[in-house]
Amino acid sequence: MPAWVLLLVAACQTSDDDQARRDEMVQLIARRGVTDAAVLAAMRAFPRHELVPAGQRAAAYEDRPLPIGDGQTISQPYVVAVMSAAAAVKPGDKVLEIGTGSGYQAAILAALGAKVYTIEIVPALAERAARDLGRLGVKNVTVRQGDGYQGWPDQAPFAAIVVTAAPEKVPPPLLAQLAPGGRLVIPVGSAGDQWLEIHERQGDRVRVWREFAVRFVPMTGQAEQRPSDDPAR
């Protein structure tokens, strides 16, 4: 685990109760089948309560999503763990995240040793996440405000792309920015019918499989366009 994570825990751990609640959260995640030791260690160490609104902090380690304002949520810890493990991140990997939100998913990916580029479409959330991650001393995360549909071409290719909002169809630019062997971890579908999918680039082909049904906020911006709305048509 990167040294900055250990320093962060030492600086931010405010009580034994916080650590006990993190331990309980991780034990539940492990019982549900997540076995990636690095992911579990990152989630056991990182102070999730620092990235939720003050009124939600008592529930910060419950296994459920929480509102963070602007109609957005911080994802359920179990889902964060599954997506982080599915991304198969190795130290030094370059990773793209679409949908920064609170910054929690980006922080976990960074704790796995990745260099994370993350895009948030809501200006207030992008600003808050950048500020909070900086306040907490999180390293190797670059936050950009904007529409993530087109990815981050000038930093591609990426060893992994993690998307935390659901488009109805996978954005082609994201697939195009995967490195060989890279994985796109993304919820896909309309409200009430979403699945967590993993797309793995294997040479000129992309292998796709589904994990389970999920419920994410919809991807906004260009992802909302119908073919008749497409300015290129």
Side-chain angles (χ1 to χ4, degrees):
M1 184 177 297
W4 68 262
V5 179
L6 301 177
L7 292 172
L8 170 63
V9 173
C12 293
Q13 184 173 323
T14 55
S15 70
D16 290 341
D17 182 59
D18 289 331
Q19 186 61 60
R21 291 191 298 150
R22 278 198 295 278
D23 290 344
E24 290 175 5
M25 177 188 76
V26 170
Q27 289 166 11
L28 174 60
I29 290 168
R31 287 198 298 270
R32 294 189 64 180
V34 177
T35 59
D36 189 306
V39 170
L40 296 176
M43 296 185 71
R44 180 177 289 111
F46 192 85
R48 187 174 188 259
H49 65 275
E50 293 280 354
L51 295 178
V52 303
Q56 298 291 336
R57 289 192 172 187
Y61 297 106
E62 295 179 9
D63 193 30
R64 60 186 176 95
L66 297 171
I68 57 172
D70 293 281
Q72 305 299 303
T73 61
I74 183 172
S75 295
Q76 176 185 0
Y78 170 69
V79 173
V80 172
V82 169
M83 295 179 75
S84 300
V89 172
K90 302 182 297 298
D93 279 350
K94 186 185 290 187
V95 175
L96 174 65
E97 182 196 26
I98 307 300
T100 313
S102 68
Y104 182 62
Q105 177 72 82
I108 297 301
L109 293 169
L112 298 175
K115 183 172 180 60
V116 182
Y117 294 84
T118 180
I119 304 174
E120 172 57 54
I121 198 168
V122 180
L125 291 182
E127 181 180 351
R128 184 195 310 164
R131 182 175 64 248
D132 284 345
L133 293 173
R135 170 177 60 84
L136 294 171
V138 175
K139 306 297 184 183
N140 291 335
V141 177
T142 302
V143 181
R144 188 173 80 180
Q145 191 277 317
D147 188 337
Y149 186 92
Q150 295 293 336
W152 202 316
D154 58 350
Q155 292 295 338
F158 297 98
I161 300 175
V162 177
V163 182
T164 62
E168 292 191 9
K169 295 183 178 180
V170 175
L174 299 185
L175 285 174
Q177 291 172 34
L178 277 180
R183 288 184 173 185
L184 168 64
V185 183
I186 182 170
V188 181
S190 56
D193 186 23
Q194 296 176 5
W195 289 84
L196 184 63
E197 296 184 353
I198 296 119
H199 297 242
E200 183 178 76
R201 180 165 297 286
Q202 299 178 340
D204 294 332
R205 303 180 61 185
V206 177
R207 176 187 173 219
V208 182
W209 67 96
R210 285 180 168 181
E211 288 290 324
F212 45 75
V214 290
R215 183 180 297 176
F216 278 79
V217 296
M219 182 181 281
T220 57
Q222 189 173 346
E224 298 174 292
Q225 291 183 354
R226 300 294 186 267
S228 60
D229 301 326
D230 191 340
R233 289 177 176 263

